[in-house]
DNA sequence: AAGACGGTCAACCGCACTCCA
DNA sequence: ATGGAGTGCGGTTGACCGTCT
């Protein structure tokens, strides 16, 4: 239905998970030209996808400003309270959560929050799964024991990355773990998807970090303060757009000591700075950049802070 | 050790809506 | 008024992963 006339011109269209190469093509194209008509995007970008798939991939995964990682208690509270009044209006709920997509909110609801609400209200329609062992801290494979935090410090996890391996910093970790220890259900660590597992082959390519500690992502793309960005966002901007470089990976563990700044990730993500290297403004698809105001509710992209 | 099972997530599907000729 | 094109949205699916038996 979507873009049928244009999409029909494609002999066959790929489905399923996006490869890093496809992400790179789509991201570079949209950043450079804006999306315009989505059905024309795959043709112009050289992708064997339909426009709808490109749009979804961009909105849910590639666009700058997305807040990856676990939901904060505040965000969860917002979702639950809004769901009472709005119901399954995921897009409206997501508009109140900068950096979150409707799909993300929806998934989180079905995975965690619905069970929590059902447990609260005494419904046993979907009994919460009881975990015998310690539960996982939501960020970066950091494990916390819900029953005996002291006896199982995060860094003692055998197959999980320690703080020095690039987890979020003790303050953030403790905050998140303690907060989540008060809850019945804890989110599992972020899953590394197939595409991320292929990153190994790129790890030795040129590092494009500049003098100020930011990673440059092409002459007209985004400059990201990687120490303030989340794992996948960082990768997307520094590796995908760049086509290489960025952080080192070893067995899927992100290694970058600068992630240890001890600041609140939620706060940082809300003030994620985005800078274009030149003065180019993206009039087609990035209207808000021109005045430095960008909001996910109106532009589908959360942006805070001015150009430097 | 290996298969079964359940949870999470990205992506797909189909419907509804808006816009425009 | 109507039909096609484009887009938004919510439900569902299937792959992947960790845990359990």
């Amino acid at each position: 239905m979507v873009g049928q006339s244009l999409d029909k011109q494609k002999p066959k269209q790929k489905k399923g998970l996006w490869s890093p190469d496809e992400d790179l093509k789509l991201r570079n194209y949209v950043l450079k030209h804006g999306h315009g008509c989505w059905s024309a995007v795959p043709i112009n970008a050289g992708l064997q996808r339909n426009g709808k798939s490109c749009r979804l991939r961009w909105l849910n995964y590639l666009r700058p400003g997305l807040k990856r990682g676990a939901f904060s208690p505040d965000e969860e509270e917002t979702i639950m309270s809004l769901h009472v009044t709005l119901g399954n209006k995921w897009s409206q709920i997501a508009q109140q959560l900068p950096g979150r997509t409707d799909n993300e909110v929806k998934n989180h609801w079905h995975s965690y929050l619905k069970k929590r609400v059902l447990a609260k209200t005494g419904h046993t329609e979907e009994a919460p799964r009881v975990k015998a062992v310690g539960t996982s801290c939501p960020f970066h494979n950091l494990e916390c024991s819900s029953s005996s935090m002291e006896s199982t410090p995060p860094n003692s996890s055998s197959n999980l990355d320690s703080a020095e391996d690039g987890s979020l910093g003790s303050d953030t970790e403790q905050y998140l773990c303690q907060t989540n220890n008060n809850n019945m259900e804890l989110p599992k660590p972020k899953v590394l998807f197939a595409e991320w597992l292929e990153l190994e082959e790129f790890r030795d390519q040129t590092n494009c970090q500049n003098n100020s500690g930011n990673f440059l992502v092409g002459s007209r793309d985004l400059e990201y303060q990687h120490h303030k960005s989340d794992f996948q966002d960082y990768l997307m901007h520094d590796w995908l757009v760049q086509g290489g470089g960025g952080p080192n990976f070893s067995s899927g563990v992100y290694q970058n000591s600068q992630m240890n700044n001890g600041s609140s990730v939620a706060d940082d993500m809300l003030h994620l700075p985005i800078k274009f290297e030149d003065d180019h403004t993206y009039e087609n698809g990035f209207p808000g950049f021109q005045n430095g105001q960008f909001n996910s509710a109106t532009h589908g992209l959360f942006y805070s802070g001015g150009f430097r």
Side-chain angles (χ1 to χ4, degrees):
Chain A
M1 188 186 293
V2 173
Q4 265 186 334
S5 63
L6 287 170
D7 290 342
K8 276 181 180 173
Q9 298 171 10
K10 289 287 177 185
K12 59 176 181 179
Q13 290 173 342
K14 193 181 169 187
K15 289 185 178 180
L17 292 179
W18 281 65
S19 68
D21 183 58
E22 289 177 306
D23 280 343
L24 178 65
K25 284 181 179 176
L26 177 60
R27 188 180 194 94
N28 280 344
Y29 177 82
V30 176
L31 286 176
K32 191 171 182 178
H33 302 99
H35 57 76
C37 174
W38 278 113
S39 57
V41 167
I43 299 171
N44 296 330
L47 292 164
Q48 303 218 331
R49 299 269 182 173
N50 62 33
K52 201 170 187 174
S53 180
C54 292
R55 172 184 167 270
L56 201 67
R57 183 64 177 174
W58 172 260
L59 290 178
N60 286 341
Y61 206 77
L62 294 178
R63 64 182 164 104
L66 284 179
K67 191 195 296 182
R68 313 298 305 181
F71 282 72
S72 70
D74 282 348
E75 287 178 314
E76 292 182 335
E77 196 59 40
T78 301
I79 293 171
M80 286 190 285
S81 62
L82 287 175
H83 188 267
V84 172
T85 56
L86 297 174
N88 294 351
K89 302 292 182 184
W90 304 118
S91 62
Q92 292 182 35
I93 295 174
Q95 284 176 10
Q96 308 303 317
L97 299 167
R100 300 294 189 185
T101 68
D102 54 353
N103 206 31
E104 205 175 4
V105 171
K106 180 176 58 182
N107 282 334
H108 192 66
W109 169 263
H110 287 304
S111 296
Y112 304 106
L113 301 181
K114 185 167 74 176
K115 297 169 189 172
R116 195 181 299 173
V117 169
L118 288 173
K120 268 185 185 176
T121 57
H123 290 82
T124 55
E125 176 185 332
E126 294 186 54
R129 185 181 175 185
V130 179
K131 296 193 175 187
V133 229
T135 49
S136 300
C137 203
F139 280 80
H140 303 153
N141 296 336
L142 178 69
E143 184 167 70
C144 307
S145 169
S146 60
S147 55
S148 57
M149 183 103 171
E150 316 79 55
S151 61
T152 313
N155 291 350
S156 70
S157 279
S158 57
N159 60 337
L160 303 170
D161 47 335
S162 64
E164 59 191 349
D165 281 335
S167 54
L168 289 172
S170 55
D171 290 352
T172 306
E173 290 163 358
Q174 285 184 6
Y175 166 74
L176 289 166
C177 293
Q178 287 167 2
T179 307
N180 281 291
N181 279 340
N182 295 330
N183 298 329
M184 294 288 293
E185 287 285 312
L186 291 176
K188 287 185 175 180
K190 197 73 179 177
V191 173
L192 292 179
F193 297 97
E195 57 193 277
W196 305 114
L197 299 180
E198 300 174 26
L199 293 175
E200 276 285 335
E201 59 184 296
F202 296 96
R203 46 183 295 208
D204 292 327
Q205 293 185 15
T206 308
N207 188 326
C208 298
Q209 190 172 12
N210 69 3
N211 295 335
S212 61
N214 298 322
F215 281 84
L216 302 179
V217 285
S219 61
R220 56 164 60 243
D221 294 329
L222 301 178
E223 183 178 4
Y224 233 62
Q225 286 192 342
H226 67 280
H227 59 283
K228 288 189 174 181
S229 67
D230 187 31
F231 176 71
Q232 290 183 355
D233 257 348
Y234 169 57
L235 287 171
M236 294 311 302
H237 291 83
D238 295 320
W239 175 78
L240 281 179
V241 178
Q242 193 72 247
N248 286 333
F249 274 83
S250 178
S251 304
V253 176
Y254 170 51
Q255 296 179 333
N256 189 329
S257 61
Q258 293 190 53
M259 289 288 286
N260 268 324
N261 59 4
S263 62
S264 161
V265 171
D267 285 348
D268 288 346
M269 295 306 298
L270 286 173
H271 301 287
L272 194 64
I274 298 173
K275 177 190 174 183
F276 294 89
E277 272 198 276
D278 54 17
D279 292 332
H280 185 80
T281 54
Y282 296 94
E283 299 175 14
N284 185 10
F286 299 91
F289 272 127
Q290 295 174 52
N291 55 16
Q293 294 174 346
F294 224 158
N295 186 287
S296 61
T298 53
H299 301 110
L301 169 64
F302 180 76
Y303 167 69
S304 177
F307 295 113
R308 287 169 294 167

